[in-house]
């Protein structure tokens, strides 16, 4: 158990809908990272937050947004969902602003 | 363009048959190179971080090395429980963090 908690574990929704994925980092970790993993693309970096501030941005679509709250948990919002958004979404945390040390178990999103 | 390439894509070994996985990278301003293990349906598990050419790290049957252009993950006398996908990642200037697509390792008893 990495100490990073992601909810829900599975999510099935229809195209055009909006969903929110939640991540609770390890106790004391200030950095939260979000990744998308699909079969054909591997792990794609979406966005990183450090102590509530956006720190780095990867290939995150405009339909996606994220935030980190004062209690350090983070949410990834995905809107206007398309079939191609079906993937595993991972959250990772780390104590500092260096690299994603601890990954959660992921949220499997299926868009139908 | 920043890039991380892993080879081979898949590797099947007999138990006890040592081998190496390769990770080559082209990034501007390398800040670190990282190896992770990922089991099916689970999140990646951190294994090693390497920061400079010539550096080596070991953990049980795994040993990671780093040169200026690539890293190797050496697996000595692997066991079936070493079967997993091994991911390489690099941290570059601008806080960018890139993963390779991984090597799927299967160790046959």
């Amino acid at each position: 158990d990495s100490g990073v908690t992601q909810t829900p574990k599975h999510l099935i929704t229809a195209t055009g809908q909006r969903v929110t994925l939640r991540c609770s980092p390890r106790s004391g970790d200030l950095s939260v990272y979000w990744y998308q993993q699909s079969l054909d693309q591997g792990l794609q970096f979406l966005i990183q937050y450090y102590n509530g501030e956006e720190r780095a941005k990867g290939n995150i679509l405009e339909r996606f947004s994220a935030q980190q709250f004062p209690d350090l948990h983070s949410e990834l919002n995905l809107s206007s969902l398309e079939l191609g958004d079906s993937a595993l979404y991972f959250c990772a945390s780390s104590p500092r602003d260096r690299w994603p040390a601890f990954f959660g178990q992921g949220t499997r999103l299926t868009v139908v | 363009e920043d890039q991380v390439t892993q080879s081979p894509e898949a590797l099947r070994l007999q138990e006890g048959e040592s081998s190496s996985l390769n990770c080559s990278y082209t990034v501007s301003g390398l800040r670190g190179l990282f190896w992770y293990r990922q089991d099916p349906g689970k999140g990646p598990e951190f294994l090693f971080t390497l920061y400079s050419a010539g550096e080596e790290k070991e953990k049980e049957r795994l040993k990671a090395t780093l040169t200026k252009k690539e890293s190797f993950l050496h697996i000595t006398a692997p066991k079936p429980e070493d079967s997993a996908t091994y991911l390489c990642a690099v941290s570059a200037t601008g806080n960018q963090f890139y993963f390779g697509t991984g090597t799927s390792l299967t160790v046959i008893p």
Side-chain angles (χ1 to χ4, degrees), chain B residues 31-46:
Chain B
R31 294 170 60 185
L33 185 138
F34 306 83
W35 283 97
Y36 294 79
R37 169 193 170 125
Q38 186 174 23
D39 292 299
K42 296 193 174 181
E45 174 189 347
F46 169 74

Side-chain angles (χ1 to χ4, degrees), chain B residues 14-82:
Chain B
Q14 291 290 329
E15 185 172 0
E17 179 187 1
S18 301
S19 189
S20 296
L21 314 182
N22 177 263
C23 171
S24 62
Y25 60 91
T26 51
V27 295
S28 52
L30 180 74
R31 294 170 60 185
L33 185 138
F34 306 83
W35 283 97
Y36 294 79
R37 169 193 170 125
Q38 186 174 23
D39 292 299
K42 296 193 174 181
E45 174 189 347
F46 169 74
L47 293 173
F48 303 109
T49 178
L50 303 163
Y51 291 107
S52 55
E55 192 174 355
E56 298 183 351
K57 294 273 179 74
E58 283 189 68
K59 181 179 179 180
E60 296 180 354
R61 295 176 291 282
L62 300 176
K63 179 179 175 180
T65 62
L66 180 64
T67 72
K68 287 186 178 179
K69 295 290 185 185
E70 59 191 348
S71 176
F72 292 93
L73 184 65
H74 307 277
I75 303 176
T76 302
K79 298 182 178 181
E81 54 262 41
D82 295 323

